[in-house]
Amino acid sequence: MKALVFDGNLKLLDVPLPVRRPGTSLVKVNLAGICNTDLEITRGYMDYHGILGHELLGTVIESDSAILSGKRVTTEINIPCKTCDLCKQGLFKHCRNIKTVGISGYPGVFAEYAVLPDESLHVIPESVSSLKAVFTEPLAAAAQVFESVELSPDQRVCLIGDGKLGLLISMVLSAKGIIHRLVGKHPERIGLLGSSSGALFLSIDEAETYDRHFDIVIEATGNPLGLAQALRVVRPQGKVVLKSTYQGKPSFDVTSVVVREIELIGSRCGPFEKAISMLEEGTVDPTTLIENIFHIDESLKAFEAAKKSLKVIIRMD
């Protein structure tokens, strides 16, 4: 099969078909989305070598599970060991021996086929289009903001970052009735959020005037400078929700966190069931973020496009 592999360099290769084991399903990949994490891996993040990709819409073609056989599915990315002390506490996505699809220790989905654990797969309802369904994983990550911090319409909320994840978070905030300031570099992207958006755009320069103002700041820039900016605009005893992952380490004023008693909250993967429900109910339409769709034969070109685009999708058919 064809697969997009990173081994220090990005290559489209012919590789053996994956072998299915009990408790796993063979999935024919239909669509796969490129996210910033994939780009960061090619810059050295996680020191991962192998088949890239973790945002999937596929069809189960071989499985021991009658529930999954023949169904369109997406996959959670974390594969815990279920035996370590953290797993026994229910902290499965923080497993000491965790494998992460296309990111750490487990082959990804930028390939014609993938073998994935049955318990990681979620069936996509027929009413949800394939192009919407491929956004399930990043939409779940966006929805995790509501699991990480209590949000209400009366709070002053700021979202920093108008890239792929930032715009998805903005969509989720709006769906929940949260009016918010969206700080970014691309004011035209507000038009991608729909007429019911609760986002009010601020340029980076305009945001500088909001000194210690917001109750909650969500940082989703994918840039090491984003945290420093978040700390400038959050009020004393406010909360900063961190969504960015990237190669390298940010430099920021730790003293201000202590003196102003700011709470920093990490927020990673999220609830797939809630993401699928939002897609099924139509409260969020992430397909407005798609800028290009490339066949896997053009996957190297797709990665180049993803560096300067919003969402880029790789199709296998």
Side-chain angles (χ1 to χ4, degrees):
M1 68 174 184
K2 297 172 184 175
L4 190 61
V5 177
F6 181 71
D7 61 1
N9 293 294
L10 200 57
K11 301 174 182 177
L12 180 62
L13 301 176
D14 284 320
V15 302
L17 283 169
V19 178
R20 189 179 75 84
R21 303 173 302 282
T24 66
S25 292
L26 179 62
V27 178
K28 183 183 187 301
V29 180
N30 304 123
L31 299 172
I34 299 176
C35 88
N36 280 356
T37 300
D38 301 312
L39 299 177
E40 290 297 320
I41 286 173
T42 66
R43 300 176 182 125
Y45 176 63
M46 296 298 291
D47 195 28
Y48 174 74
H49 287 183
I51 299 174
L52 291 175
H54 56 273
E55 297 179 6
L56 163 79
L57 185 279
T59 304
V60 175
I61 60 172
E62 184 180 310
S63 179
D64 297 326
S65 169
I67 295 173
L68 295 173
S69 292
K71 297 295 197 316
R72 289 187 311 151
V73 295
T74 190
T75 187
E76 300 207 27
I77 67 174
N78 299 303
I79 304 174
C81 71
K82 299 290 185 73
T83 59
C84 73
D85 60 321
L86 294 176
C87 284
K88 288 177 181 178
Q89 296 174 54
L91 300 172
F92 297 117
K93 68 179 177 181
H94 303 290
C95 166
R96 294 190 187 277
N97 309 302
I98 197 164
K99 297 178 181 179
T100 312
V101 175
I103 297 173
S104 178
Y106 200 94
V109 300
F110 290 156
E112 293 180 293
Y113 297 89
V115 166
L116 297 161
D118 291 345
E119 64 182 5
S120 297
L121 297 177
H122 292 259
V123 175
I124 298 297
E126 292 183 6
S127 60
V128 177
S129 73
S130 294
L131 283 176
K132 287 183 179 181
V134 75
F135 281 89
T136 304
E137 191 277 333
L139 183 58
Q144 181 65 15
V145 168
F146 281 85
E147 310 294 318
S148 304
V149 66
E150 187 173 341
L151 287 154
S152 61
D154 61 331
Q155 292 169 320
R156 294 170 297 182
V157 178
C158 179
L159 168 60
I160 303 178
D162 60 356
K164 295 180 281 291
L165 180 56
L167 293 175
L168 285 175
I169 294 171
S170 182
M171 289 179 180
V172 174
L173 290 173
S174 297
K176 300 289 187 178
I178 307 296
I179 303 298
H180 56 284
R181 300 284 182 168
L182 174 61
V183 179
K185 300 178 180 179
H186 309 92
E188 71 279 3
R189 290 182 178 175
I190 283 285
L192 302 174
L193 299 175
S195 59
S196 60
S197 171
L200 303 170
F201 187 83
L202 284 179
S203 70
I204 293 173
D205 289 340
E206 289 171 327
E208 293 294 328
T209 67
Y210 285 78
D211 177 41
R212 291 163 288 181
H213 176 78
F214 293 99
D215 302 308
I216 295 174
V217 179
I218 303 161
E219 192 283 307
T221 63
N223 186 310
L225 300 176
L227 175 55
Q229 187 175 33
L231 294 177
R232 284 195 294 272
V233 301
V234 70
R235 68 165 171 81
Q237 295 188 336
K239 299 179 180 181
V240 176
V241 181
L242 304 174
K243 295 297 297 186
S244 293
T245 57
Y246 38 72
Q247 173 65 7
K249 297 180 180 179
S251 175
F252 66 98
D253 183 2
V254 178
T255 299
S256 70
V257 175
V258 176
V259 171
R260 288 159 52 196
E261 300 181 308
I262 296 166
E263 187 173 350
L264 299 182
I265 302 166
S267 178
R268 188 167 159 252
C269 303
F272 271 53
E273 295 84 357
K274 292 182 180 179
I276 292 171
S277 292
M278 283 189 284
L279 293 172
E280 190 172 19
E281 294 164 3
T283 55
V284 169
D285 180 7
T287 60
T288 59
L289 307 186
I290 298 173
E291 289 199 15
N292 278 294
I293 300 175
F294 292 88
H295 189 268
I296 190 171
D297 290 339
E298 300 178 297
S299 52
L300 296 178
K301 183 178 177 181
F303 252 71
E304 287 304 310
K307 293 176 182 178
K308 50 186 179 293
S309 303
L310 281 174
K311 201 62 180 182
V312 173
I313 305 293
I314 296 176
R315 64 179 179 87
M316 306 305 160
D317 296 326

